[in-house]
């Protein structure tokens, strides 16, 4: 928790207005309990052409939901509002520790899994998912419930977990390499 982190969070408090407050609270709520990402995975699982991407997103959610509590329990970093109680929160205060941001981890894990998955749609759908990941992560700073390094670490962890989830989904769904076909990377 460097001084720069607190200064950045204070600067973000200056952005508050009713419309932005509503957007950030909604973005954070969508990221809570991986709701938006689970909905995306169900949509992807419903179609044969995107099923591998759906499995990858589901695996990414599971990996993030397992990894984050373990790291939080090890690091035990207090949240910004626990350090400075003078900042009025506009959303319910989350409990537990701060590092890494679970919202950022899950959001970027799912965006990464989708981007790395074969069979996922290209273009605007991926852009929307990546934009949603950034919005969810930024909302945690705006709401004064995470430090910038919590969000950055969560995003980095999520990118790695998502990539691994996509690789694992491809491996499992393609028969674990038993058929002598193409590998998850598309090579022979």
């Amino acid at each position: 928790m460097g001084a720069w982190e607190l200064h950045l969070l204070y600067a973000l408090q200056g952005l508050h207005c009713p419309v932005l407050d509503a957007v950030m609270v909604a973005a954070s709520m969508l990221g809570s309990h991986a709701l938006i990402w689970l909905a995306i995975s169900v949509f992807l699982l419903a179609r044969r052409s995107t099923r591998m991407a759906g499995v990858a997103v589901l695996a990414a959610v599971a990996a993030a939901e397992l990894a984050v509590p373990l790291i939080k329990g090890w690091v035990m970093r207090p949240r910004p509002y626990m350090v400075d109680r003078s900042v009025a929160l506009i959303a319910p205060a989350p409990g537990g520790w701060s590092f890494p941001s679970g919202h950022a981890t899950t959001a970027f894990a799912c965006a990464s899994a989708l981007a790395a998955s074969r069979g996922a749609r290209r273009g605007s759908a991926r852009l929307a998912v990546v934009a949603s990941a950034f919005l969810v992560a930024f909302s945690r700073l705006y709401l004064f419930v995470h430090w910038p390094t919590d969000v950055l670490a969560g995003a980095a962890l999520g990118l790695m977990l998502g990539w691994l989830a996509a690789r694992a989904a491809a491996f499992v769904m393609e028969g674990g390499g038993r058929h002598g076909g193409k590998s998850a990377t598309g090579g022979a």
Side-chain angles (χ1 to χ4, degrees), residues 109-162:
C110 293
S112 175
L114 184 61
S117 292
R118 294 200 330 210
R121 292 189 177 260
R122 306 258 183 238
S124 61
R126 285 187 182 181
L127 181 59
V129 170
V130 170
S132 297
F134 275 101
L135 182 63
V136 167
F138 180 76
S139 76
R140 306 307 283 167
L141 301 173
Y142 184 92
L143 296 174
F144 205 72
V145 297
H146 276 293
W147 302 99
T149 49
D150 297 342
V151 171
L152 290 172
L157 176 62
L159 289 170
M160 179 191 68
L161 292 175

Side-chain angles (χ1 to χ4, degrees), residues 79 81-82 85 87-96 140 143-145:
R79 293 177 181 272
Y81 72 84
M82 295 172 172
R85 297 190 184 274
V87 175
L89 299 182
I90 62 169
R140 306 307 283 167
L143 296 174
F144 205 72
V145 297

Side-chain angles (χ1 to χ4, degrees), residues 8-183:
L8 177 60
L9 292 176
Y10 288 149
L12 293 177
Q13 295 308 295
L15 299 176
H16 282 265
C17 67
V19 171
L20 204 47
D21 288 356
V23 168
M24 293 301 159
V25 169
S28 185
M29 287 177 61
L30 281 175
S32 293
H33 309 293
L35 293 177
I36 187 73
W37 314 116
L38 291 172
I40 288 169
S41 69
V42 168
F43 174 78
L44 293 169
L45 287 167
R47 299 185 65 203
R48 180 181 301 265
S49 64
T50 58
R51 194 160 291 145
M52 188 177 304
V55 170
V57 170
L58 232 106
V61 169
E65 294 294 319
L66 289 171
V68 168
L70 293 173
I71 297 168
K72 283 182 185 247
W74 179 60
V75 176
M76 296 190 294
R77 182 183 202 187
R79 293 177 181 272
Y81 72 84
M82 295 172 172
V83 173
D84 183 352
R85 297 190 184 274
S86 71
V87 175
L89 299 182
I90 62 169
W97 301 110
S98 189
F99 184 91
S101 166
H103 281 69
T105 304
T106 304
F108 279 90
C110 293
S112 175
L114 184 61
S117 292
R118 294 200 330 210
R121 292 189 177 260
R122 306 258 183 238
S124 61
R126 285 187 182 181
L127 181 59
V129 170
V130 170
S132 297
F134 275 101
L135 182 63
V136 167
F138 180 76
S139 76
R140 306 307 283 167
L141 301 173
Y142 184 92
L143 296 174
F144 205 72
V145 297
H146 276 293
W147 302 99
T149 49
D150 297 342
V151 171
L152 290 172
L157 176 62
L159 289 170
M160 179 191 68
L161 292 175
W163 181 82
L164 289 171
R167 300 287 296 185
F171 182 78
V172 169
M173 292 190 71
E174 292 174 352
R178 291 176 293 180
H179 301 294
K182 291 185 177 184
S183 71

